[in-house]
Amino acid sequence: METQRQKKIGGLLQQDLADILQRAATQGAPGTLISISKVSVTSDLSIAKVYVSVFPTAKAQGVMEEIKESNPAIRHELAQRTRHQLRRMPELHFYLDDSLEYIDGIERSLKKGENPIENPDLLPRRKKS
């Protein structure tokens, strides 16, 4: 269960990270939309798990590799923006959020007449993080 403090810090990080990543995407890869689905912070505020959604999904792996390579620069920029709210910047761990793609697969299966609820083998298994 997340405390109120963890939720507030997660929301703050989510807003600033979305701004940083979207600005970088418009300069580096035009036509790519990057959004932050969720930020969850551990109870000791040392690690932040950042779930990133990329559209179009074909560019997702390349964008994620680029984000992970520039993690120190992103963390520094984020620390500069939140220096009056946080004493220490949490370590950022980025994960690709594929929930929109998964939901789209379910909708396509339902429209074809196949029911993934009755036959779960129609959709690929999602790995839990």
Side-chain angles (χ1 to χ4, degrees):
M1 190 76 183
E2 278 189 330
T3 63
Q4 199 65 20
R5 180 174 171 85
Q6 287 173 293
K7 290 178 186 177
K8 284 183 181 180
I9 290 174
L12 176 74
L13 293 176
Q14 183 176 4
Q15 288 177 343
D16 288 337
L17 274 171
D19 185 44
I20 291 169
L21 292 179
Q22 191 59 45
R23 185 171 300 148
T26 55
Q27 294 172 354
T32 304
L33 179 67
I34 299 175
S35 64
I36 307 297
S37 305
K38 182 180 179 186
V39 176
S40 61
V41 183
T42 57
S43 59
D44 62 350
L45 308 177
S46 64
I47 298 173
K49 291 182 179 180
V50 181
Y51 295 93
V52 181
S53 180
V54 181
F55 184 79
T57 55
K59 297 181 181 180
Q61 290 301 326
V63 169
M64 286 304 293
E65 289 174 11
E66 209 171 298
I67 288 173
K68 288 180 181 179
E69 287 176 8
S70 60
N71 190 353
I74 294 171
R75 188 173 180 211
H76 178 72
E77 173 76 22
L78 192 59
Q80 294 299 316
R81 289 181 179 220
T82 60
R83 68 179 177 255
H84 298 295
Q85 287 97 355
L86 297 174
R87 287 187 187 184
R88 294 187 60 207
M89 178 54 54
E91 191 177 316
L92 302 174
H93 293 206
F94 291 97
Y95 299 98
L96 183 62
D97 184 19
D98 63 345
S99 59
L100 293 176
E101 188 177 321
Y102 187 73
I103 291 170
D104 189 44
I106 291 173
E107 287 180 1
R108 275 188 268 124
S109 293
L110 287 173
K111 286 180 182 176
K112 284 191 230 174
E114 301 167 347
N115 192 348
I117 296 171
E118 293 174 1
N119 187 4
D121 297 330
L122 294 174
L123 295 173
R125 294 272 181 212
R126 293 183 72 194
K127 49 183 180 171
K128 296 181 181 178
S129 55

